[in-house]
Amino acid sequence: MEFTANLIAGLVGGKVEGDGNITVNTFAKIEEGHPGALSFLANPKYTHYIYDTKSSIVLVADSFVAEKPVKATLIRVADPYETISELMTKVAEATAQHPTGIEEPSFVAADAQIGQNCYVGAFAYVAGGAVIGNNVKIYPQAYVGAGVTIGDDTVIYPGVKIYKGCKIGRGCILHAGVVIGADGFGFAPKPDGSYHKIPQMGIVEIGDDVEIGANTTVDRATMGATRVGHGTKLDNLIQVAHNCEIGSDTVIAAQSGMAGSSKIGSNCMVGGQVGVAGHIAIGDRTGIGAQSGIHKSLPDDSRVMGYPAIPLGDFMRQAARLRRLDNLFDDVANLKKQKQ
């Protein structure tokens, strides 16, 4: 599929500078541009690439001012990052494959309910009592347990495991290796030093439009439900423990972990490798820097970083002072010499 600069500008409400009839058929990073590619410039750190990029078209901000000639055709838009995202979404939707039907060999229980236009890939397993909505795609080697419900338009990629009774909303994407509803880490110590396993009797409830990255795990509740709210996005390799609750439209980066019964609010942003202690609550619209350790509850609109986490401004000041620590030791050593 090829698109002219004029056509793209019309789709996104942009303004063309250069050859409006030049065509593109793929996307490329601005530093790896090549003829026929569409790139974008959003981060000022990449501005120098625009003068040498071989991409045919580059999306730039309305405010962009070139310091020297640019070979590529430019399309000016309000937000290049948002615009490239919209264009990539349109292309992905137009070129996406939509398999349907039940492949063999696979297993679908006689009492499982399968909606219209669904796909069940080879070696997938759908247990009794499962309810699968319309347009759901279940790729090969996925497991859907007894009594699981999956909403319309959800995609279950290869190797996903959804344990019994769990509920997945509409329009969700579960990437390869995701495990929903494994037992929570519940063990009671016994007088002899061994541990008694506490049965995990609850479920997991995933809201609509949730995306969960590869090899992320969301444990079932001891009782009640572990919940992930509408629109929330979880990266790869995240652990969500039993009875945790995550609000709506929150994003959590890779290798983060939530201990049991902790709560994260809505519209939060959590960096990679963040650890959240159990039985605490993090307020809405909170930002947490990468590798932070959260050991106590946080109010709405917090900005924290560090281990243990402290307000972001304090962390930055401490980091600046730490960089000057060697100079302080040198100053103290010089003062000691002067006294001698």
Side-chain angles (χ1 to χ4, degrees), residues 23-79:
T23 61
V24 293
N25 56 25
T26 189
F27 298 94
K29 295 188 291 185
I30 193 169
E31 66 272 29
E32 298 175 356
H34 54 84
L38 171 66
S39 298
F40 75 104
L41 174 63
N43 189 328
K45 293 180 180 179
Y46 290 81
T47 300
H48 63 284
Y49 288 113
I50 199 168
Y51 303 110
D52 298 315
T53 186
K54 293 181 173 59
S55 289
S56 298
I57 302 173
V58 181
L59 298 173
V60 297
D62 290 329
S63 59
F64 171 72
V65 177
E67 296 179 352
K68 53 185 178 180
V70 176
K71 299 176 183 178
T73 292
L74 303 182
I75 300 178
R76 292 186 178 273
V77 293
D79 186 337

Side-chain angles (χ1 to χ4, degrees), residues 26-340:
T26 189
F27 298 94
K29 295 188 291 185
I30 193 169
E31 66 272 29
E32 298 175 356
H34 54 84
L38 171 66
S39 298
F40 75 104
L41 174 63
N43 189 328
K45 293 180 180 179
Y46 290 81
T47 300
H48 63 284
Y49 288 113
I50 199 168
Y51 303 110
D52 298 315
T53 186
K54 293 181 173 59
S55 289
S56 298
I57 302 173
V58 181
L59 298 173
V60 297
D62 290 329
S63 59
F64 171 72
V65 177
E67 296 179 352
K68 53 185 178 180
V70 176
K71 299 176 183 178
T73 292
L74 303 182
I75 300 178
R76 292 186 178 273
V77 293
D79 186 337
Y81 189 79
E82 181 179 350
T83 301
I84 198 75
S85 176
E86 292 175 357
L87 288 171
M88 293 176 73
T89 299
K90 291 179 186 294
V91 171
E93 291 174 348
T95 58
Q97 295 181 346
H98 301 285
T100 58
I102 298 176
E103 294 181 348
E104 296 295 342
S106 62
F107 176 82
V108 178
D111 62 341
Q113 300 178 37
I114 307 293
Q116 298 179 350
N117 300 316
C118 287
Y119 167 69
V120 179
F123 301 103
Y125 184 102
V126 181
V131 179
I132 311 300
N134 298 326
N135 307 310
V136 171
K137 311 301 178 189
I138 300 174
Y139 281 84
Q141 298 183 329
Y143 171 83
V144 178
V148 166
T149 61
I150 300 177
D152 297 346
D153 304 307
T154 285
V155 179
I156 308 296
Y157 277 111
V160 171
K161 306 296 185 287
I162 307 173
Y163 285 42
K164 66 179 181 180
C166 294
K167 300 178 179 179
I168 312 297
R170 297 169 177 256
C172 295
I173 301 172
L174 274 59
H175 287 280
V178 165
V179 178
I180 304 295
D183 280 358
F185 194 64
F187 299 91
K190 298 166 65 174
D192 64 359
S194 63
Y195 289 87
H196 170 73
K197 180 177 175 62
I198 300 171
Q200 305 293 288
M201 307 296 290
I203 62 171
V204 174
E205 294 180 351
I206 306 292
D208 299 338
D209 191 33
V210 171
E211 184 161 351
I212 301 180
N215 295 323
T216 283
T217 57
V218 184
D219 290 346
R220 71 175 51 246
T222 305
M223 56 186 72
T226 302
R227 295 184 174 90
V228 179
H230 302 317
T232 283
K233 317 299 180 188
L234 304 181
D235 199 356
N236 303 333
L237 296 167
I238 289 173
Q239 159 67 7
V240 180
H242 57 190
N243 289 99
C244 287
E245 295 184 12
I246 303 174
S248 60
D249 297 308
T250 282
V251 291
I252 303 179
Q255 297 184 345
S256 293
M258 299 175 60
S261 298
S262 58
K263 295 178 173 59
I264 297 180
S266 297
N267 301 108
C268 295
M269 300 182 69
V270 180
Q273 296 185 330
V274 167
V276 180
H279 303 276
I280 65 172
I282 294 171
D284 296 341
R285 299 175 301 280
T286 290
I288 302 174
Q291 296 188 323
S292 295
I294 312 301
H295 65 288
K296 63 180 181 180
S297 295
L298 298 172
D300 294 348
D301 302 299
S302 297
R303 297 288 182 273
V304 299
M305 190 170 184
Y307 184 86
I310 57 177
L312 182 60
D314 293 345
F315 177 86
M316 299 303 290
R317 282 189 290 272
Q318 288 184 9
R321 289 168 180 163
L322 187 61
R323 288 195 297 269
R324 300 197 297 269
L325 194 58
D326 280 346
N327 294 335
L328 178 60
F329 276 105
D330 290 342
D331 291 342
V332 171
N334 290 331
L335 288 172
K336 286 182 176 179
K337 289 178 181 178
Q338 290 176 13
K339 288 184 66 175
Q340 294 172 354

